[in-house]
Amino acid sequence: MAHQNWPLIYFVRHGQTDWNRASRFQGQRDVPLNDHGRNQAKLSGEILNELVTRDGGSPDQFDWFCSPLGRTRETMEIVRQQFDADLPEVTFDDRLREISFGHLEGILASDVQRDFPEEHEKRSQSKWRHRPKDGESYAEVIERVNEFMHEHITRPTVVVAHGGVARTFRHLVTGEPGDVLDKWAPSQEAVFRFENGQFTEYAA
């Protein structure tokens, strides 16, 4: 499904929440950033500013998109504070929400093996193909993110969203398979650069 001709995309994952720190399934629950997450968002914004400058661009030439959840909204706000420029308005799109973990949301990852052994076994085999009860598979996330990308990404773009959505972008841009992306833990203090079918991660 890779599309080799996307414009330049900078992708930022939201900063840490208390649920991230505890390794608790978060999904589409609206959990706020913690103080460490706010510092991570600031760092990501500084990295993004450096990359835009390095690439000879101007931040007002980018379209800015964000998941509507609170942790991404706050991350976007902090990222944009690192630019000394008037920026275009942010567009919030539900298709950029995190993958839904259904009935697992709110549960510690360490408790899944004990409380839901069949679920644990399926996730151990492949997170990419697993669909939790009342949740989503990555195939469903790919469908909505792919629709968003074809509708909106027509010029250089900044996206602030989630780890699962980052994996989906990487799959759609590079064509890398799920068994590779299963093993990738997207950083919360980095910027992911997608262009011409290539992926590069710029971390602190």
Side-chain angles (χ1 to χ4, degrees):
M1 293 183 68
H3 188 302
Q4 300 298 316
N5 297 310
W6 293 110
L8 172 62
I9 303 167
Y10 292 121
F11 189 108
V12 176
R13 183 185 176 194
H14 66 79
Q16 185 190 77
T17 71
D18 286 345
W19 282 25
N20 289 143
R21 184 172 59 192
S23 295
R24 191 179 295 276
F25 280 95
Q26 190 164 236
Q28 296 187 1
R29 296 285 187 92
D30 208 355
V31 184
L33 298 182
N34 58 27
D35 286 342
H36 182 59
R38 294 182 184 96
N39 289 333
Q40 289 178 315
K42 182 176 184 294
L43 186 57
S44 295
E46 292 171 351
I47 296 169
L48 178 62
N49 194 347
E50 290 178 6
L51 288 173
V52 170
T53 302
R54 184 204 70 176
D55 290 344
S58 173
D60 61 1
Q61 297 172 341
F62 284 74
D63 290 328
W64 295 71
F65 293 99
C66 188
S67 159
L69 295 180
R71 59 188 181 270
T72 42
R73 286 177 177 268
E74 186 174 7
T75 298
M76 175 66 90
E77 181 180 349
I78 295 170
V79 164
R80 286 163 64 89
Q81 288 171 359
Q82 310 317 306
F83 289 84
D84 186 19
D86 292 329
L87 301 177
E89 291 294 317
V90 177
T91 299
F92 298 93
D93 196 296
D94 277 342
R95 291 169 292 187
L96 295 175
R97 285 177 179 265
E98 179 61 296
I99 186 171
S100 170
F101 292 117
H103 76 127
L104 296 179
E105 292 186 4
I107 297 174
L108 289 170
S110 58
D111 289 343
V112 173
Q113 184 173 9
R114 181 194 67 200
D115 297 339
F116 304 99
E118 292 184 7
E119 199 95 58
H120 172 75
E121 178 62 24
K122 291 177 181 176
R123 286 190 62 77
S124 297
Q125 292 173 2
S126 174
K127 297 183 183 71
W128 191 257
R129 291 189 293 274
H130 176 236
R131 187 183 190 277
K133 180 183 176 183
D134 302 323
E136 291 180 295
S137 67
Y138 269 99
E140 291 170 297
V141 182
I142 288 168
E143 184 176 355
R144 60 176 162 89
V145 171
N146 189 48
E147 180 183 84
F148 162 82
M149 291 176 72
H150 279 92
E151 183 176 326
H152 287 298
I153 298 186
T154 59
R155 65 179 197 147
T157 297
V158 175
V159 174
V160 175
H162 307 269
V165 179
R167 291 186 184 93
T168 304
F169 265 78
R170 185 168 169 178
H171 170 72
L172 288 169
V173 173
T174 70
E176 291 176 275
D179 59 352
V180 171
L181 299 176
D182 253 0
K183 300 175 178 65
W184 179 46
S187 173
Q188 291 175 293
E189 46 188 52
V191 176
F192 313 130
R193 187 183 191 276
F194 299 101
E195 189 176 31
N196 298 324
Q198 301 297 313
F199 161 79
T200 310
E201 180 172 339
Y202 295 90

